[in-house]
Amino acid sequence: MIKSLASLRFVFAFMVFLHHIGILQDAIGHAFFYSLSGFILSYVYQERFVQQRFTTRAFLKLRFSRLYPLYILTLLVAIPLTIDAFALEPIEEILKLVSSIFMLQSFIPVADYYFSFNGLAWSISDLFFFYTLFPILIKGLYKASAKALLGSSILVMLGIFGLMQIVPEAWQHWFFYVNPFLRLADFVLGMVLFQLLKNVVFKKYEPRFTFYEIVACLLLIGFYWGAPLFPKVLRYSIYYWIPMTVFIGVFAVQKGYISRLLTNRVMLLLGELSFGFYLWHQLIIRYAYRFVNHYQLGINIWLLISLCFILILVVSWFSYRYFEMPIKRKLRQFWV
């Protein structure tokens, strides 16, 4: 695992948290996670697949053991929040539950489905879909030339931009932000980036790369602050492709001082907790708001959010230490 990118997982999970409490306007974390997944999986598994030292079945088992246990646990924790809805429309809620159990909710272009239960789980539905296609995609990209990769990426970007001109506004949120077939482009973008950088020498400090890292951060910040000047539909996907690609590419090389800071123990631990932090945070916020409203507690909103943040970190640590890792080890032993 590239340590600097492992730590950055928490940074972008935290940015999703900031979006959900109303501080950030765009949830740019999803684009980062999809592209990062494509990049890291290519980094770890490309040679294994190309040399036929790893099977698709083994790969999917490993990915499933990482994602599904916590995914299903947070789904169960979310069910009490929907008791009223179950009482009003039991059949509809059961259908939503079934779609969530099988990680199919993001394929259904209805917000009540893809945002049902743990609303953030739609992105895991997307992610596992990408994983099922990864073994096929990696073999195809391995042989492609840099010119073909860049040309194809530009054509895909233009194609998505063209679709933005014809897809009705009422469909745009699902079609460009949730739709796994369109978001696959973000994942493949990370894979393409790896193909372009795979011959770069990693983990060798060079002072000039600190400057590149600062520029990459400023570029991403600049795109974020300039986002209100552009239509929302553009910001659902391709708007952040350029800064995100530069950002991941620069930090993947791990040659700058900021990368060094990201490899300390605290940041690496937070990176490990990022998946749990992402899946738990909205649920904990929802439960906290219900508790405060039910008991009519006059608590300051920012104090409440701060307490939620601390609780999310604590729950994420316990979840990682006593649930995610033990379950993952048992599943891997069972399958092996």
Side-chain angles (χ1 to χ4, degrees):
M1 185 66 171
I2 300 173
K3 291 183 178 180
S4 59
L5 295 182
S7 298
L8 284 170
R9 291 180 302 181
F10 180 80
V11 174
F12 281 85
F14 181 65
M15 291 173 75
V16 176
F17 168 80
L18 293 179
H19 171 70
H20 287 141
I21 62 174
I23 293 178
L24 296 183
Q25 58 187 340
D26 289 343
I28 63 176
H30 298 108
F32 173 80
F33 288 128
Y34 292 158
S35 295
L36 178 65
S37 293
F39 186 94
I40 291 298
L41 290 179
S42 299
Y43 174 78
V44 175
Y45 292 106
Q46 178 173 268
E47 292 301 323
R48 299 186 198 182
F49 275 114
V50 171
Q51 297 174 12
Q52 298 183 337
R53 292 187 286 112
F54 208 67
T55 66
T56 298
R57 185 177 182 181
F59 171 77
L60 292 178
K61 283 180 177 179
L62 287 174
R63 294 296 91 201
F64 185 85
S65 67
R66 177 69 181 102
L67 291 183
Y68 199 68
L70 186 60
Y71 170 90
I72 207 70
L73 176 62
T74 55
L75 172 62
L76 294 174
V77 170
I79 290 177
L81 293 168
T82 66
I83 294 299
D84 292 341
F86 265 104
L88 293 173
E89 298 180 302
I91 302 301
E92 186 79 9
E93 292 304 308
I94 289 172
L95 291 174
K96 293 177 186 177
L97 181 60
V98 170
S99 70
S100 293
I101 289 173
F102 289 97
M103 293 193 288
L104 297 174
Q105 67 270 43
S106 66
F107 291 86
I108 303 171
V110 179
D112 284 346
Y113 274 80
Y114 59 76
F115 281 158
S116 59
F117 301 100
N118 185 1
L120 292 170
W122 67 266
S123 61
I124 310 305
S125 170
D126 278 6
L127 200 56
F128 196 73
F129 171 66
F130 305 158
Y131 290 166
T132 63
L133 297 177
F134 175 78
I136 299 171
L137 293 169
I138 195 63
K139 293 176 183 178
L141 292 175
Y142 178 75
K143 298 179 180 179
S145 66
K147 186 177 180 179
L149 291 171
L150 289 171
S152 300
S153 299
I154 293 171
L155 286 175
V156 170
M157 182 181 290
L158 292 174
I160 294 176
F161 182 75
L163 287 171
M164 290 177 178
Q165 314 309 310
I166 60 176
V167 173
E169 185 176 354
W171 285 77
Q172 287 178 353
H173 182 264
W174 173 81
F175 196 89
F176 296 105
Y177 188 68
V178 176
N179 180 4
F181 297 103
L182 258 291
R183 294 315 296 261
L184 178 63
D186 296 79
F187 180 76
V188 174
L189 184 67
M191 298 177 68
V192 168
L193 179 62
F194 174 76
Q195 302 307 316
L196 297 174
L197 293 180
K198 61 184 177 183
N199 294 323
V200 173
V201 178
F202 292 86
K203 302 180 182 178
K204 181 181 177 183
Y205 177 69
E206 292 182 18
R208 63 190 175 94
F209 264 83
T210 300
F211 171 74
Y212 297 154
E213 291 175 349
I214 293 171
V215 170
C217 292
L218 292 176
L219 181 65
L220 185 58
I221 293 170
F223 266 73
Y224 173 79
W225 287 113
L229 300 174
F230 297 88
K232 187 73 173 178
V233 64
L234 193 67
R235 289 141 54 193
Y236 284 151
S237 60
I238 62 175
Y239 175 77
Y240 287 106
W241 277 14
I242 292 175
M244 204 65 71
T245 301
V246 172
F247 191 87
I248 293 174
V250 169
F251 280 94
V253 179
Q254 299 188 115
K255 291 184 178 181
Y257 185 71
I258 299 176
S259 290
R260 282 189 169 187
L261 293 177
L262 290 170
T263 58
N264 68 72
R265 290 185 178 181
V266 174
M267 288 304 301
L268 289 173
L269 173 61
L270 289 173
E272 292 295 334
L273 301 184
S274 61
F275 181 55
F277 184 93
Y278 175 78
L279 279 181
W280 283 115
H281 81 266
Q282 195 178 64
L283 286 176
I284 290 174
I285 291 172
R286 288 167 65 188
Y287 272 109
Y289 273 74
R290 286 206 175 192
F291 179 84
V292 168
N293 291 334
H294 179 77
Y295 289 100
Q296 298 182 337
L297 302 177
I299 186 170
N300 178 272
I301 184 65
W302 294 110
L303 175 60
L304 176 61
I305 289 172
S306 299
L307 293 173
C308 283
F309 176 72
I310 295 170
L311 181 58
I312 293 163
L313 283 177
V314 172
V315 170
S316 298
W317 185 84
F318 275 96
S319 171
Y320 177 77
R321 179 69 175 80
Y322 296 107
F323 181 76
E324 296 173 58
M325 295 307 294
I327 291 291
K328 183 170 72 171
R329 284 194 293 267
K330 288 181 181 179
L331 285 176
R332 290 184 176 183
Q333 290 172 0
F334 173 75
W335 279 325
V336 171

